[in-house]
Amino acid sequence: MNPHFEAIADGLAEHGYAVINQFLSQHEVDAILKLEDLRDMANMKRAGIGNSQSLQIQEGIRGDYINWLDRETAPQPVKVYLTRLDELIMFINQSLYLSLKDYEVHFTKYPPGTFYKRHLDQFKSDDHRKLSAILYLNENWKEDEGGALRMYLQDKTLDILPEAGRLVCFRSDKIEHEVLPATRERLSITGWLLDRLAELKHL
Ligand code: OGA
Ligand code: MN
């Protein structure tokens, strides 16, 4: 069993979130970063706001570019991560008595200066996103480069730097958060664990 899973389940149960360093090893992150096609702008599209029924592009809210991923077509180094998410779903279902069934995941690039304003990941019209899981892919991130994930907790805010290999997992219905602008490109794989099967994403 993956030694990090228990810490994730405990963090979720106690605080509604967990931060795990080295969820992917340096070697596993490097293999993903070598996939030039994944972050080639030609393969990415502007992220929107809302679900597939009411998708809008609003630069004043979020400025990232995304590339949807799936189990069958993802390159091998990404599959390593997706397989780990499947194992995490099984573990969390057993330990927290949830009934997660699938995930939806995209590769994400925030060009310098872009951000994502404070929001909740669960849509008002669609509550199938139960847990958010973000894996960061940025080597040697410095605090003064900005780009933190800021989580709004009950009595404080918590800033998490998008350091390579780090996983942040939190309750999609409870924890408001934002992405602060950065002075360098910021890469991640962003996902949601769902209580139903994922819809097909249009490329
Ligand atoms: C999101 C999001 C946070 C991050 O894509 O919904 O909030 O740290 N991402 O990238
Ligand atoms: Mn979010």
Side-chain angles (χ1 to χ4, degrees), residues 116 119 121 170 177:
Y116 193 161
H119 66 282
D121 283 348
F170 56 86
H177 56 282

Side-chain angles (χ1 to χ4, degrees), residues 11-52:
L12 288 170
E14 281 172 39
H15 311 291
Y17 72 91
V19 180
I20 304 294
N21 295 331
Q22 292 179 311
F23 187 71
L24 251 60
S25 69
Q26 170 107 40
H27 183 77
E28 289 165 335
V29 169
D30 285 346
I32 294 175
L33 290 174
K34 283 206 189 93
L35 301 167
E36 300 208 345
D37 282 357
L38 195 63
R39 63 171 189 275
D40 184 344
M41 274 302 196
N43 298 326
M44 304 192 81
K45 57 176 193 169
R46 282 296 311 271
I49 321 286
N51 59 18
S52 51

Side-chain angles (χ1 to χ4, degrees), residues 178-189:
E178 71 177 309
V179 178
L180 300 175
T183 56
R184 64 182 260 202
E185 179 177 278
R186 179 189 192 274
L187 303 178
S188 56
I189 298 179

Side-chain angles (χ1 to χ4, degrees), residues 12 67 88-89 154:
L12 288 170
N67 186 351
L88 178 62
I89 285 177
Q154 248 160 19

Side-chain angles (χ1 to χ4, degrees), residues 43-63:
N43 298 326
M44 304 192 81
K45 57 176 193 169
R46 282 296 311 271
I49 321 286
N51 59 18
S52 51
Q53 272 79 47
S54 59
L55 194 73
Q56 291 175 284
I57 307 287
Q58 283 182 7
E59 265 170 53
I61 296 180
R62 69 186 290 191

